[in-house]
Amino acid sequence: MAFLSDTLARVKPSPTIAVTTKAQQLKADGKDVIGLGAGEPDFDTPQNIKDAAKRAIDAGKTKYTAVDGIPELKAAICRKFKRENGLDYTPSQITVGTGGKQILYNALMATCNPGDEVIIPAPYWVSYPDMVLLAGGTPVTVECGIETDFKLTAEKLEAAITPKTKWFIFNSPSNPTGAGYTAEELKALTDVLIRHPQVWIMSDDMYEHLVFDDFRFATPAQVEPRLYDRTLTCNGVSKAYAMTGWRIGYAGGPVALIKAMGTIQSQSTSNPCSVSQYAAVEALDGPQGFLDENRKLFQRRRDLVVSMLNEASGITCPRPEGAFYVYPDISGCIGKTSAGGAPIKDDEAFATALLEETGVAVVFGAAFGVSPNFRVSYATSDAALEEACRRIQNFCAGLR
Ligand SMILES: Cc1ncc(COP(=O)(O)O)c(C=O)c1O
C-alpha cells in the first residue's frame, strides 16, 4: 500500500514559492541576489490597520469566531461590494477565509465532481489548475497569447465550453500578466456565458485596486447582472492593503454555494484568524488614501520596468493595465547560448541561467502556461528594479 495519496500525485508544489525560496537560499549563502519572484507588496501594512489588530488583542478577541467570518467583517464586506462594485450582497451571501486562496479552494472543493471541467485562461495564476485537480475536477486551459495582450476572446471562450463545464475562472487584473479587462472586453465574455446556464463564474478580483492610468476595474456580476446568481465574486485584503501575512480573503455569492463553502472550511481550518478579521474590518472601512499612493508608486515602477525591459535585446514587454507584474516575451532569446555557456532552450533555462549568472530571480513562463516568457514582480524598490533590469539587459546582450 502506498503511503502517499493519489491526490498528491495530481499536483505539484507552487513554482513561484520555489523560486522565492531558492533566491532566499542564495542570498543566505552570501550571493548578490535580487528577487523579482514574490507576489507581495514590499511595504508595511498601514498603521491604522495594525492598531485595529492591537485593539482586538487587548479586547480579548482571541477566541474561535463563526466559521466563515465575524458579523462585523461580513457587514464591512457588504458595504465594500456596494460602494466599489455596485453589488448588493447580504451577510448570508458572504464568506471569509484564510486568504483568497482558501476561498477559491473551498469553492472548488464544494462543487467539483469527477469529469467536471473548469475553464482557465492561460497565462494563469499557478494555483488554479492544481486546485481544480485537488478538488477532483479537470482543468481546461485556453492559451491567450501576446497578440491579444494575454486576454481571452469571446470566440476562444465559446469554443472551450462543453456540457461538462462547471466553472469559468476569471482574473483581472491578472497574475502573471497584469492584463486587465475593460468593461467592454468583459461584456464580450459575459455575452457568451449568458448562453451557457451550466457555467458558473469564479471572478478573482484580488488585484482590483492595483490599476493604472485611466483604466477602470470591472467585475462580471456588475457588468452582466443576469450572471449574479451564478457568480462567485472573490477578493481579499492581501494585495490591496499589504496584508499578505494576515490571511484574509472573502467572497460574495449565492447562499447555497456560500453555505457549502462554509461546510468545507468547518471541517478543515475553521475560522480565519480572529485578530486578522478585526484588522480587515479597519482595512475595508477605514481611510482609503493608501490605495491611491500605492497605485502611483506601482504605476511608476511598471513604467520603469517596461521601458528598461524593452531595451533588452530579444525581449518584448507589453505595458499592462494593473497588478504588479509584467510578463515579457523572450522569443528572441530562445536557441541562443548565455555568456556563461548555458543553452537557452526554453524559458526555464533562461530563468535558471539568469539567476545563476546575474543573481536576478524571475519565474519562468511555463509555470503559468504560456511560453517563452517570464514573470517579473515589480513589488520591490526602484533601485533594486533598475539594477535588476540592467542585469537582464546585460544578460541578453551576452547571448550568442
Ligand atoms: C490571482 C491571485 N488570486 C489569489 C491569490 C491569493 O491571495 P491570498 O494571499 O489572499 O491567499 C493570489 C496571491 O498571489 C493571486 O495572485
Side-chain angles (χ1 to χ4, degrees):
M1 182 178 67
F3 176 61
L4 296 175
S5 71
D6 294 344
T7 305
L8 189 69
R10 293 203 293 265
V11 299
K12 57 187 179 322
S14 159
T16 45
I17 292 175
V19 168
T20 311
T21 311
K22 185 163 184 200
Q24 279 165 352
Q25 225 167 38
L26 288 171
K27 237 183 202 164
D29 293 345
K31 297 245 164 64
D32 173 19
V33 172
I34 307 176
L36 304 180
E40 63 180 349
D42 56 314
F43 35 83
D44 212 0
T45 306
Q47 193 59 44
N48 63 309
I49 299 174
K50 290 197 222 172
D51 289 342
K54 289 178 195 163
R55 283 196 300 277
I57 293 174
D58 289 341
K61 310 282 193 193
T62 53
K63 303 287 173 58
Y64 290 132
T65 72
V67 165
D68 64 352
I70 55 174
E72 296 92 320
L73 181 51
K74 288 190 174 187
I77 292 165
C78 290
R79 285 191 289 275
K80 176 261 178 267
F81 276 133
K82 182 70 185 164
R83 181 178 72 238
E84 296 179 346
N85 310 113
L87 293 173
D88 286 302
Y89 288 115
T90 59
S92 62
Q93 291 177 284
I94 301 294
T95 187
V96 184
T98 300
K101 203 170 211 171
Q102 188 181 29
I103 292 292
L104 303 167
Y105 185 71
N106 285 345
L108 292 166
M109 287 298 282
T111 55
C112 283
N113 288 315
D116 286 351
E117 296 174 359
V118 179
I119 296 177
I120 304 172
Y124 44 71
W125 179 43
V126 291
S127 293
Y128 296 143
D130 288 84
M131 283 201 270
V132 170
L133 289 166
L134 274 175
T138 304
V140 175
T141 57
V142 182
E143 197 166 322
C144 310
I146 199 166
E147 64 289 348
T148 54
D149 291 328
F150 304 117
K151 292 182 206 175
L152 181 66
T153 60
E155 296 70 34
K156 280 191 177 175
L157 176 59
E158 182 76 61
I161 294 174
T162 75
K164 291 182 181 166
T165 306
K166 178 154 274 172
W167 283 104
F168 164 57
I169 301 184
F170 177 72
N171 176 218
S172 163
S174 144
N175 177 2
T177 65
Y181 291 67
T182 63
E184 262 176 14
E185 287 167 335
L186 180 50
K187 185 70 171 49
L189 301 182
T190 60
D191 283 351
V192 173
L193 294 162
I194 208 80
R195 294 196 292 272
H196 300 276
Q198 80 280 22
V199 184
W200 282 61
I201 298 93
M202 193 177 293
S203 184
D204 181 349
D205 300 351
M206 194 54 79
Y207 295 93
E208 165 180 15
H209 288 292
L210 296 170
V211 292
F212 312 129
D213 306 318
D214 47 8
F215 180 83
R216 287 179 67 89
F217 171 81
T219 192
Q222 173 193 31
V223 163
E224 179 46 271
R226 287 177 295 167
L227 290 177
Y228 174 86
D229 287 336
R230 49 185 169 105
T231 298
L232 185 68
T233 307
C234 307
N235 212 317
V237 294
S238 299
K239 315 283 176 171
Y241 300 95
M243 290 178 72
T244 47
W246 300 75
R247 312 306 303 132
I248 296 291
Y250 58 84
V255 173
L257 171 61
I258 293 295
K259 265 196 184 156
M261 291 166 64
T263 303
I264 300 286
Q265 190 160 300
S266 73
Q267 298 298 14
S268 49
T269 58
S270 285
N271 64 275
C273 169
S274 59
V275 174
S276 298
Q277 291 188 67
Y278 286 96
V281 171
E282 174 63 19
L284 296 179
D285 278 349
Q288 304 291 304
F290 174 77
L291 298 175
D292 248 351
E293 286 166 31
N294 278 358
R295 261 192 291 273
K296 285 187 196 125
L297 178 78
F298 280 128
Q299 181 170 326
R300 198 183 67 225
R301 288 176 180 172
R302 175 202 62 174
D303 292 342
L304 170 79
V305 170
V306 167
S307 76
M308 285 190 79
L309 289 179
N310 276 320
E311 283 166 23
S313 106
I315 292 187
T316 309
C317 185
R319 180 182 304 269
E321 292 83 3
F324 40 64
Y325 309 106
V326 290
Y327 198 67
D329 174 293
I330 56 165
S331 305
C333 303
I334 302 301
K336 299 194 169 169
T337 301
S338 73
I344 308 297
K345 64 177 191 333
D346 55 21
D347 53 27
E348 185 166 1
F350 179 95
T352 304
L354 185 70
L355 180 57
E356 282 168 4
E357 296 176 30
T358 74
V360 174
V362 298
V363 187
F364 56 93
F368 307 100
V370 169
S371 287
N373 294 71
F374 63 86
R375 187 191 76 172
V376 163
S377 163
Y378 53 82
T380 191
S381 73
D382 291 23
L385 287 173
E386 258 179 66
E387 174 59 20
C389 289
R390 214 168 291 126
R391 290 187 198 180
I392 294 172
Q393 288 174 350
N394 289 341
F395 179 80
C396 289
L399 295 175
R400 291 287 171 266

